[in-house]
């Protein structure tokens, strides 16, 4: 199943135009539908390749929604246009952030989850820039609003980030700790972050920093896994880790207590 969607990101700052999100691919659950996860691809990729990877996982109770980011000029690539959830000049929490597009993409993702049945748990995961987007969505959920102040509408139950970083990590702790409700949400949201020690695209230290910033901001249920010698790609061991982690966190059928 595929369909196209649009998101109007408003008339402020650089781009008053409508961003065209690409095709969304859906992997239907093969068993009882208990959870839905939006999975976000990396820079220059698309939802189709994500859906093929996820379709092979032994998680029959999860529905996967794999959207495709808008095509836009990317500063990191010298202005070359490719699929990107937001503009990136540097793949780290120190880079200047395209908050308008971060909000537009986060809203698009939340909209994809907002029509899921009430008894289905929802989450967000992603690779590289998709992982950064998943973590930004976790920030919006925790604070109860997007960066532009609009309310965040979805109750997230799990976040997975592979080979990513955390946009806005430096100011996260002060934002969360200024709100009792935000602190409560952060303390309850499970997050799994995985990163290869030999990643030469999104450096390992940025993944490590994302985990440290999130933990110190109050995300108590955060698991950080490092993979010795792994570059900027996924491996079966990482997918297996994700399956082991998601099953008890989302109380999927057949779950048994697993290692942490």
């Amino acid at each position: 199943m595929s369909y196209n969607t649009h998101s109007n990101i408003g008339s402020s700052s650089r781009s008053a135009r409508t961003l065209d999100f690409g095709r969304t691919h859906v992997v239907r659950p093969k068993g009882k539908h208990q959870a839905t996860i939006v999975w976000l691809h990396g820079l220059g990729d698309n939802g189709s390749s994500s859906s093929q990877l996820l379709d092979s996982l032994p998680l029959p109770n999860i529905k996967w929604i794999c959207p495709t980011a808008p095509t836009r000029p990317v500063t990191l690539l010298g202005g070359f246009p490719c699929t990107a959830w937001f503009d990136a000049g540097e793949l780290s929490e120190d880079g200047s952030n395209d908050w308008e597009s971060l909000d537009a993409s986060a809203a698009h993702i939340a909209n994809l989850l907002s029509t899921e049945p009430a008894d289905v748990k929802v989450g967000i995961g992603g690779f590289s820039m998709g992982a950064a987007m998943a973590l930004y969505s976790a920030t919006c959920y925790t604070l109860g609003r997007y960066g532009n102040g609009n309310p965040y509408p979805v109750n997230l139950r799990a976040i997975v980030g592979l080979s990513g970083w955390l946009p806005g990590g430096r100011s996260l702790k002060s934002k969360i700790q200024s709100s009792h409700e935000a602190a409560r949400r952060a303390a309850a949201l499970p997050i799994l972050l995985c990163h290869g020690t030999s990643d030469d695209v999104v450096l390992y230290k940025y993944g490590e920093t994302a985990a440290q910033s999130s933990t110190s901001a109050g995300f108590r249920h955060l698991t950080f896994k490092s993979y010795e010698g792994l570059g900027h790609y996924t491996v079966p061991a990482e997918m297996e880790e994700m399956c082991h982690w998601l099953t008890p966190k989302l109380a999927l059928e057949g779950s048994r207590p697993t290692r942490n």
Side-chain angles (χ1 to χ4, degrees), residues 4-37:
N4 287 310
T5 39
H6 306 274
S7 173
N8 191 307
I9 58 173
S11 56
S12 60
S13 93
R14 294 175 309 260
S15 52
R17 63 193 171 76
T18 297
L19 277 180
D20 281 340
F21 286 85
R23 185 168 283 182
T24 295
H25 298 261
V26 176
V27 179
R28 299 271 167 212
K30 297 167 180 69
K32 182 184 175 188
H33 182 198
Q34 294 181 296
T36 296
I37 296 177

Side-chain angles (χ1 to χ4, degrees), residues 173-189:
K173 183 175 182 176
S174 60
K175 286 179 181 172
I176 288 176
Q177 294 186 349
S178 65
S179 158
H180 176 73
E181 184 61 18
R184 186 190 67 76
R185 284 183 183 158
L189 180 64

Side-chain angles (χ1 to χ4, degrees), residues 156-160 186-192 221-223 245 249:
L156 297 178
R157 301 293 290 272
I159 297 290
V160 177
L189 180 64
I191 298 177
L192 172 66
H221 293 283
L222 186 143
T223 302
W245 185 86
K249 293 291 185 286

Side-chain angles (χ1 to χ4, degrees), residues 182-215:
R184 186 190 67 76
R185 284 183 183 158
L189 180 64
I191 298 177
L192 172 66
L193 300 180
C194 301
H195 217 108
T197 59
S198 299
D199 194 328
D200 58 352
V201 178
V202 180
L203 300 181
Y204 176 76
K205 68 177 181 181
Y206 296 137
E208 209 172 29
T209 302
Q212 289 164 354
S213 298
S214 299
T215 302

Side-chain angles (χ1 to χ4, degrees), residues 40-243:
L40 306 167
H41 62 75
L43 184 64
D45 209 344
N46 58 63
S48 175
S49 56
S50 301
S51 68
Q52 290 167 34
L53 171 69
L54 299 164
D55 194 26
S56 64
L57 297 181
L59 292 167
N61 306 112
I62 295 181
K63 170 185 170 184
W64 300 94
I65 301 177
C66 306
T68 300
T71 298
R72 71 176 82 221
V74 177
T75 303
L76 180 75
L77 305 176
F80 182 80
C82 69
T83 51
W85 300 109
F86 53 94
D87 187 25
E90 177 185 336
L91 303 187
S92 78
E93 69 169 17
D94 303 325
S96 61
N97 285 301
D98 174 13
W99 298 113
E100 186 184 19
S101 295
L102 277 159
D103 278 345
S105 289
H108 179 71
I109 295 156
N111 288 343
L112 291 172
L113 290 170
S114 64
T115 53
E116 291 301 291
D119 62 338
V120 168
K121 302 179 185 78
V122 300
I124 302 172
F127 172 74
S128 190
M129 180 179 263
M133 201 63 240
L135 284 171
Y136 182 72
S137 295
T139 301
C140 295
Y141 158 70
T142 303
L143 297 174
R145 62 183 188 278
Y146 299 104
N148 60 19
N150 292 340
Y152 189 80
V154 181
N155 179 23
L156 297 178
R157 301 293 290 272
I159 297 290
V160 177
L162 311 180
S163 309
W165 71 97
L166 174 61
R170 289 176 178 277
S171 59
L172 186 59
K173 183 175 182 176
S174 60
K175 286 179 181 172
I176 288 176
Q177 294 186 349
S178 65
S179 158
H180 176 73
E181 184 61 18
R184 186 190 67 76
R185 284 183 183 158
L189 180 64
I191 298 177
L192 172 66
L193 300 180
C194 301
H195 217 108
T197 59
S198 299
D199 194 328
D200 58 352
V201 178
V202 180
L203 300 181
Y204 176 76
K205 68 177 181 181
Y206 296 137
E208 209 172 29
T209 302
Q212 289 164 354
S213 298
S214 299
T215 302
S216 81
F219 289 94
R220 292 181 200 161
H221 293 283
L222 186 143
T223 302
F224 180 70
K225 295 276 180 182
S226 56
Y227 289 79
E228 196 62 41
L230 178 66
H232 196 63
Y233 48 87
T234 59
V235 287
E238 214 173 13
M239 293 290 109
E240 195 179 316
E241 180 67 45
M242 183 173 83
C243 294

